[in-house]
Amino acid sequence: DGGITQSPKYLFRKEGQNVTLSCEQNLNHDAMYWYRQDPGQGLRLIYYSQIVNDFQKGDIAEGYSVSREKKESFPLTVTSAQKNPTAFYLCASSIEAAPGTEAFFGQGTRLTVV
Amino acid sequence: GNSVTQMEGPVTLSEEAFLTINCTYTATGYPSLFWYVQYPGEGLQLLLKATKADDKGSNKGFEATYRKETTSFHLEKGSVQVSDSAVYFCALSGGWLTFGKGITLSVRP
């Protein structure tokens, strides 16, 4: 089955530690995205990538980093510089980053920093 | 920049009631408009979309019409079911998706 796999589903980390969230897709999509979801805030774009080896900052990129070394993979690192990292993180992909293009989402990773 | 505004929630309805969830947008150019649905603990699923003015998207009894003159994309369903309980997001695409804050719908038997 084609789709997007995020792992793990739940993640706990101590304050001050970096943590990497995994996102893999087998849809052969060029574009991939990371969103953060907080209660009452909707989804906010962290980073997006239109093609391998290229990525752009979204609205809330501070304290996060990404890489896109392979078409199917777009890992997100939450660094210790992110002031409030506890949230639900969603990865998505689309055929291309163009208007009208449907995005497909993974099941999300809930990160809790204690 | 692009933005999406959804009506405040949550919304609680009885089964078979009529549903309207309001969505308005601000955008440059001619964005595509989407409704996504999120069930508890899951990611988002596309519910319906419209790519140009006056288009009507429909799926599973839900409908929404792209109204350029009022910059709106309101979601409607004639008769809701308990299984429709979820969070609904309006979004626009000018390359990547910009989302509204979402609204929680609870349908009671």
Side-chain angles (χ1 to χ4, degrees):
Chain A
D1 275 341
I4 300 176
T5 302
Q6 289 187 243
S7 61
K9 193 172 174 70
Y10 299 95
L11 191 54
F12 295 87
R13 278 294 182 270
K14 290 185 178 179
E15 198 170 330
Q17 290 182 333
N18 291 357
V19 59
T20 297
L21 282 58
S22 169
C23 178
E24 304 277 333
Q25 55 100 355
N26 60 4
L27 299 167
N28 201 32
H29 286 172
D30 281 323
M32 296 187 74
Y33 315 83
W34 275 105
Y35 288 89
R36 170 180 170 140
Q37 184 177 11
D38 296 284
Q41 299 245 20
L43 278 74
R44 293 178 289 169
L45 183 68
I46 305 173
Y47 269 97
Y48 69 99
S49 168
Q50 295 180 290
I51 201 165
V52 174
N53 292 322
D54 182 67
F55 49 82
Q56 306 293 330
K57 292 181 180 180
D59 298 323
I60 56 164
E62 185 174 351
Y64 300 97
S65 66
V66 295
S67 62
R68 186 86 188 277
E69 297 176 1
K70 298 186 295 182
K71 187 175 185 177
E72 58 270 23
S73 180
F74 192 41
L76 173 74
T77 297
V78 184
T79 75
S80 56
Q82 168 49 234
K83 294 191 185 342
N84 186 18
T86 294
F88 191 50
Y89 291 88
L90 287 160
C91 179
S93 72
S94 61
I95 292 175
E96 58 181 349
T101 305
E102 176 185 352
F104 295 81
F105 283 80
Q107 295 293 295
T109 292
R110 186 166 298 281
L111 172 64
T112 302
V113 175
V114 295
Chain B
N2 296 341
S3 67
V4 175
T5 302
Q6 290 184 233
M7 61 184 274
E8 296 282 330
V11 173
T12 301
L13 296 173
S14 296
E15 205 164 25
E16 299 184 2
F18 184 84
L19 169 71
T20 298
I21 302 177
N22 290 343
C23 171
T24 58
Y25 67 90
T26 302
T28 54
Y30 303 97
S32 296
L33 300 173
F34 301 80
W35 278 100
Y36 278 83
V37 60
Q38 183 180 37
Y39 298 100
E42 297 187 5
L44 276 66
Q45 303 173 23
L46 178 67
L47 182 58
L48 53 84
K49 74 175 188 180
T51 57
K52 61 183 187 296
D54 300 324
D55 267 2
K56 177 186 282 188
S58 61
N59 186 27
K60 300 181 181 179
F62 290 90
E63 293 183 341
T65 301
Y66 189 157
R67 301 285 188 202
K68 193 166 183 291
E69 63 276 11
T70 55
T71 61
S72 65
F73 193 54
H74 305 322
L75 183 68
E76 296 182 335
K77 187 175 186 182
S79 176
V80 293
Q81 306 300 312
V82 172
S83 57
D84 293 327
S85 298
V87 182
Y88 292 81
F89 292 94
C90 185
L92 68 82
S93 172
W96 57 86
L97 290 168
T98 298
F99 288 88
K101 292 187 176 182
I103 187 168
T104 300
L105 170 66
S106 298
V107 181
R108 53 175 183 248

